[in-house]
Amino acid sequence: MDLLDDCIAEKAFKSLLESFGIEIPSQASPVHLEDLEKQENSVKSVLEIIQEQDKGHECSVFGPPHDLPIQRAVNIIVSSLPDSQLKKRSGLPSEATGEAHAISLLRKEAERSIALLGHRQNTLLPVAHLPPEILIQIFHDSLKDTWRDISALQRSLLLVCRDWTTLVEGTASLWAHIDLVRSNAGLRYLIASLERSENQLLDIDYHFQYSKGILPDILVQQICKHMDRWRRVRLTLKGTVEDLSLFSSTPPLQLETFKCVATIGTDDPLPFLNEQPLPMLQDIHLELYRIDWAAKASSFENLRNLDLIRIYPGPSTRQLLHILHQSPLLENLQINRVEFQSESSYQDTLPSTICLHKLNRLFIWTPPTFMSEILSRIQIPNCKSFRLSSRVPGEDWSTFASEALEPHLSVLQSLSRTAMDINLTWINGALIVMANRSIFAPSALTAIELKFGIGITRITEVLDWVALNMGLEAAQVPFKLALSSDQLEWTDAVSSTLSQLKGVTSLELLEPSNTQLRLVSWLAQSLSIPSDRGEKAAFPFPRLTAVRGLNSGIAGSVVNMIQTRNGLNPLPSPMSVELPIRLGTVQIRESASRKLDRGSRRLLEEAMCGGEVIVI
């Protein structure tokens, strides 16, 4: 509407409202929020009437009951506008054309009045009296650390009212976090955010799925144009040469966190990580990307977290040790399936032992040789989470246990002295050692867990090594034992090895098999000891309180085992046998062909003497 239309439409619409008994207060007059809400609803009702007439304006028919007020308002507009303003339309008489134009002006004036009334209501709300600084802080908190779509939240703030729109668009810090992972927004949102953020440092999350296959990635291209403003950047890229070409050689000196994940590997290193030191860098996470390991320009003195995952080729162990030596503040280190180089021209003088006093979490998954080279050179006195993983063929276990595990042993012994819960897992040829500091008993070793998965044929050798090197027969610390009974061949050697593990408190059988029957029978028999020692015979696993994964097909033998261990069955020489701790939990796994009947369950519950029977 031009100025003339505005004036005439305002006059006609005011007359229309008066016809319906509606009075709009002036901006200067005091008014209550409830009154404004009623007036807004009334104007909306008038707008609905106008819209109904607008749909039938071609016929110039104004039916009851509101034809007279509408017709008067239309006549005011038509009589006030010169003929030049009534845009002629072919097929319609000029009178009908003028009425259509008049109704259109009334509709727009009604919409404008509703918007003004809404704005006046907003100004009366308590939130409208908050200082802009407080509002901005509230907006920041709503956008911070959220799992929701940040672009959608920003859009919602923009649509609340005109004042909020102006405030949000003009606050650069509200646009400094750009999330293109949980968002459906694309290039337009990215460009707008980069412009509105002005000179703010940027936090960017991006996944290549939004590039729609365009090479080079136009979104990454826009992101890399602002590398000088990077602070925390997490990128998931395809890993193509075109992607690498988009990175500027200008180092992001304010960069604190950098995560770069590729879906395919690349031989080219990330350029900006090698140009000059990045003094603010604290977190590095690289997957299928690498840096120039031989470059000495990089500085890691403020590094807190280092994750290197599936990097081919990776550094040599000496280059990694050099990085660790440069990182006295390192708290978390993950070296996961990194292809270490056997030889390197990189030369540097390193101390014989690198002490990482602040390291809390260590995870290394590499071949045994490289793992040994790393563990033999580092000290981690305050480590709270310790995990090693290395794949070794079964036929090489004896050599591996006698040689390559020696560095592991020294680390484990050190961890034991600093109160760790140790978890050692041997699954399908993979040795995994895990440790977690106990928060309840910081001065003692509190738990050990052993797990042997499907496909293990050298369980006894592993158990022998654990029992010998960690002294489990004397340690008397509680630990969990999980066995794949499907692959366990029950022999005297197996029973002899298991009998050394006196600290077992929880036993889990991972697979149902015939071996379970022999194992359950063994648990029900007291172990003989030489008569000259003057000690009582004891049951296997005397501290056992939970057994899980038992086959429902051997329920009778399980009942007998529980009754015997709980002292309900007569013993041949009761005075010479020491009863174990009573079982507290038994878990039965039903098979499709053999369900646990009610009678067997009742016998189990009676034998448990109040303990828990779980059927899955």
Side-chain angles (χ1 to χ4, degrees), residues 224-225 227 244-252 271-272 275:
C224 290
K225 286 181 180 179
M227 283 182 61
L244 281 178
S245 67
L246 298 175
F247 286 95
S248 169
S249 59
T250 303
F272 68 90
E275 298 298 327

Side-chain angles (χ1 to χ4, degrees), residues 517-581:
L517 182 60
R518 301 193 62 180
L519 179 60
V520 169
S521 300
W522 177 73
L523 289 173
Q525 299 174 4
S526 58
L527 302 173
S528 60
I529 59 174
S531 58
D532 58 349
R533 292 177 59 178
E535 301 177 8
K536 289 186 176 182
F539 280 83
F541 303 158
R543 303 175 66 184
L544 186 67
T545 60
V547 183
R548 294 178 173 82
L550 293 168
N551 188 1
S552 60
I554 58 171
S557 298
V558 174
V559 170
N560 179 68
M561 180 268 292
I562 297 172
Q563 290 174 335
T564 303
R565 293 181 69 90
N566 286 349
L568 301 180
N569 287 343
L571 298 173
S573 303
M575 301 299 296
S576 61
V577 178
E578 182 177 355
L579 288 175
I581 296 176

Side-chain angles (χ1 to χ4, degrees), residues 154 175 178 180 185-198 202 204 218-223 225-226 229:
Q154 291 168 328
W175 301 93
I178 304 172
L180 293 171
L187 182 60
R188 292 179 59 187
Y189 165 72
L190 174 61
I191 294 176
S193 297
L194 292 172
E195 291 177 353
R196 291 171 179 170
S197 61
E198 298 178 354
L202 298 173
I204 301 176
I218 190 170
L219 294 174
V220 177
Q221 192 174 37
Q222 290 293 327
I223 293 172
K225 286 181 180 179
H226 299 266
R229 293 199 285 139

Side-chain angles (χ1 to χ4, degrees), residues 237-504:
L237 309 176
K238 293 180 180 178
T240 63
V241 176
E242 288 82 0
D243 286 341
L244 281 178
S245 67
L246 298 175
F247 286 95
S248 169
S249 59
T250 303
L253 299 179
Q254 302 297 322
L255 186 63
E256 297 176 7
T257 297
F258 182 67
K259 177 180 179 180
C260 197
V261 178
T263 56
I264 56 176
T266 176
D267 293 332
D268 298 322
L270 292 167
F272 68 90
L273 287 176
N274 305 308
E275 298 298 327
Q276 69 179 67
L278 303 177
M280 306 298 292
L281 191 58
Q282 298 181 12
D283 303 290
I284 299 178
H285 179 111
L286 299 178
E287 185 169 349
L288 286 175
Y289 273 118
R290 66 185 187 90
I291 62 177
D292 186 355
W293 307 106
K296 297 185 180 181
S298 297
S299 174
F300 303 100
E301 59 184 14
N302 290 313
L303 197 63
R304 263 73 168 179
N305 302 289
L306 177 61
D307 295 333
L308 303 177
I309 302 174
R310 295 189 301 156
I311 296 180
Y312 320 108
S316 66
T317 54
R318 189 171 184 82
Q319 289 168 342
L320 175 63
L321 291 170
H322 175 71
I323 294 175
L324 299 182
H325 180 54
Q326 284 190 321
S327 310
L329 302 179
L330 195 64
E331 298 175 358
N332 298 292
L333 174 62
Q334 179 179 192
I335 310 296
N336 190 345
R337 288 167 290 174
V338 172
E339 184 183 87
F340 282 96
Q341 300 178 54
S342 299
E343 297 180 359
S344 174
S345 59
Y346 178 79
Q347 299 294 329
D348 195 7
T349 303
L350 292 171
S352 58
T353 302
I354 299 171
C355 190
L356 302 173
H357 291 282
K358 293 186 175 294
L359 194 71
N360 293 321
R361 181 181 67 90
L362 174 64
F363 173 34
I364 303 178
W365 184 350
T366 70
T369 304
F370 299 116
M371 186 184 296
S372 301
E373 293 178 10
I374 297 170
L375 294 178
S376 63
R377 297 288 299 275
I378 64 173
Q379 289 184 356
I380 46 175
N382 299 308
C383 186
K384 297 178 181 178
S385 177
F386 178 80
R387 178 176 178 179
L388 305 179
S389 176
S390 184
R391 294 197 175 277
V392 183
E395 61 272 12
D396 295 340
W397 166 252
S398 300
T399 303
F400 179 67
S402 61
E403 297 178 1
L405 277 179
E406 290 307 316
H408 302 185
L409 177 60
S410 63
V411 173
L412 289 176
Q413 290 173 341
S414 174
L415 293 175
S416 300
R417 288 193 294 270
T418 57
M420 292 289 174
D421 302 336
I422 297 176
N423 177 322
L424 184 145
T425 305
W426 177 267
I427 300 178
N428 298 332
L431 173 68
I432 303 176
V433 186
M434 301 178 63
N436 297 284
R437 183 182 295 277
S438 170
I439 60 175
F440 301 107
S443 60
L445 181 67
T446 58
I448 298 172
E449 181 173 342
L450 306 175
K451 182 174 182 180
F452 300 88
I454 301 172
I456 303 308
T457 58
R458 311 184 73 87
I459 290 178
T460 55
E461 294 184 22
V462 180
L463 287 174
D464 283 339
W465 179 85
V466 173
L468 175 64
N469 290 296
M470 299 185 66
L472 297 184
E473 70 280 356
Q476 292 296 300
V477 295
F479 68 92
K480 301 176 181 179
L481 178 63
L483 297 173
S484 173
S485 55
D486 187 51
Q487 297 292 328
L488 181 63
E489 182 180 353
W490 190 263
T491 62
D492 291 340
V494 171
S495 62
S496 175
T497 299
L498 292 177
S499 66
Q500 300 179 57
L501 309 180
K502 297 182 174 61
V504 174

